[in-house]
Amino acid sequence: QVQLVQSGAEVRKPEASVRVSCKASGYTFKNYAIHWVRQAPGQGLEWMGWINAGNGNTKYSEKFQGRITMTTDTFATTVYMELISLRSEDTAVYFCTRDEKVLVGDSHYWYLGLWGRGTQVTVSS
Amino acid sequence: SSDLTQPPSVTVSPGQTATITCSGDALPNQYVYWYQHKPGQAPVLVIFKDTERPSGIPARFSGSSAGTTVTLTISGIQAEDEADYYCQSEDTSGTYVFGSGTQVTVL
């Protein structure tokens, strides 16, 4: 079964860090990028960045540069997202999501097609 | 990738047409993808490449593009279409961005 299984809820104090995991199964791990998207209470979806599971290349949103690190463990087919220097505004549900490809003629287009169920991260003193 | 602006909410009656816009300065050079997001569920792609509908998505969902504005139209809206809708684009450096989101209410 193709799926992404995320780690459980986390509670942190301000200035702490958190690491959320996303275990992939049912497909060839190295063939796809994994993105992280978060949704704060009452807010919309916010893209945080992606990691190429094949070569480890990353691209982060400018908003999180310097605070975010995405890594992979190929043997465990798991992607990790670490966010440091947490503040209350980082309270959100964090989703990992995988690229999917749709073909139109000879062209293909990537979209966010496979999602984890989300990990609640709460930052509170 | 530049900001994408959507109206916060749209309210329509069943059977009517909902129109959701997504505006951004870079959109003439980027494709837009539309996602439907219901509470407690994963977002679902309803339109890609501005106007293309994935298989399995009802024909009442359509997309159009004109300059810096891309539009999602839901014709003959049904109660099950009530959800949040987000546009999303990607720039040439691989940076993604979501629009601010539109809550569609069928009432």
Side-chain angles (χ1 to χ4, degrees), chain B:
Chain B
S1 196
S2 63
D3 290 347
L4 299 179
T5 302
Q6 300 180 230
S9 62
V10 168
T11 300
V12 293
S13 301
Q16 298 303 302
T17 296
T19 301
I20 306 164
T21 57
C22 173
S23 301
D25 291 341
L27 292 187
N29 303 308
Q30 298 172 3
Y31 288 126
V32 165
Y33 298 71
W34 288 96
Y35 294 86
Q36 176 193 69
H37 190 202
K38 297 180 180 180
Q41 299 183 22
V44 173
L45 182 76
V46 294
I47 292 290
F48 68 98
K49 193 177 170 277
D50 291 349
T51 61
E52 300 286 333
R53 191 174 61 251
S55 62
I57 299 300
R60 62 181 180 271
F61 290 88
S62 64
S64 61
S65 176
T68 59
T69 299
V70 177
T71 301
L72 172 68
T73 301
I74 312 172
S75 305
I77 201 166
Q78 301 181 8
E80 67 197 51
D81 300 328
E82 190 164 281
D84 295 328
Y85 290 84
Y86 296 90
C87 58
Q88 173 254 309
S89 70
E90 177 190 1
D91 69 16
T92 54
S93 75
T95 299
Y96 283 50
V97 64
F98 283 101
S100 45
T102 299
Q103 181 179 53
V104 171
T105 302
V106 182
L107 173 67

Side-chain angles (χ1 to χ4, degrees), chain A:
Chain A
Q1 182 184 1
V2 179
Q3 61 180 352
L4 300 173
V5 178
Q6 297 186 224
S7 49
E10 304 274 9
V11 179
R12 295 286 186 274
K13 293 189 183 304
E15 294 305 314
S17 63
V18 69
R19 191 175 81 156
V20 180
S21 68
C22 172
K23 179 168 176 60
S25 60
Y27 69 93
T28 303
F29 180 70
K30 290 185 175 182
N31 286 357
Y32 295 85
I34 295 287
H35 300 245
W36 289 88
V37 174
R38 76 179 187 179
Q39 185 171 32
Q43 304 299 308
L45 300 176
E46 181 173 33
W47 180 80
M48 302 179 72
W50 56 253
I51 182 166
N52 183 320
N55 59 21
N57 286 349
T58 55
K59 180 71 175 180
Y60 302 139
S61 166
E62 280 187 22
K63 176 175 178 176
F64 300 101
Q65 285 279 3
R67 287 210 301 142
I68 192 170
T69 304
M70 296 179 189
T71 56
T72 63
D73 179 337
T74 302
F75 292 107
T77 65
T78 298
V79 175
Y80 300 93
M81 186 282 298
E82 183 178 32
L83 194 61
I84 67 172
S85 303
L86 291 169
R87 34 216 190 220
S88 58
E89 308 90 88
D90 294 316
T91 294
V93 177
Y94 289 75
F95 296 95
C96 61
T97 172
R98 192 197 78 176
D99 278 338
E100 296 274 5
K101 188 167 59 177
V102 57
L103 294 172
V104 178
D106 294 332
S107 299
H108 62 262
Y109 302 90
W110 294 96
Y111 67 98
L112 303 175
L114 177 67
W115 293 71
R117 295 175 69 90
T119 297
Q120 174 68 50
V121 174
T122 302
V123 182
S124 173
S125 55

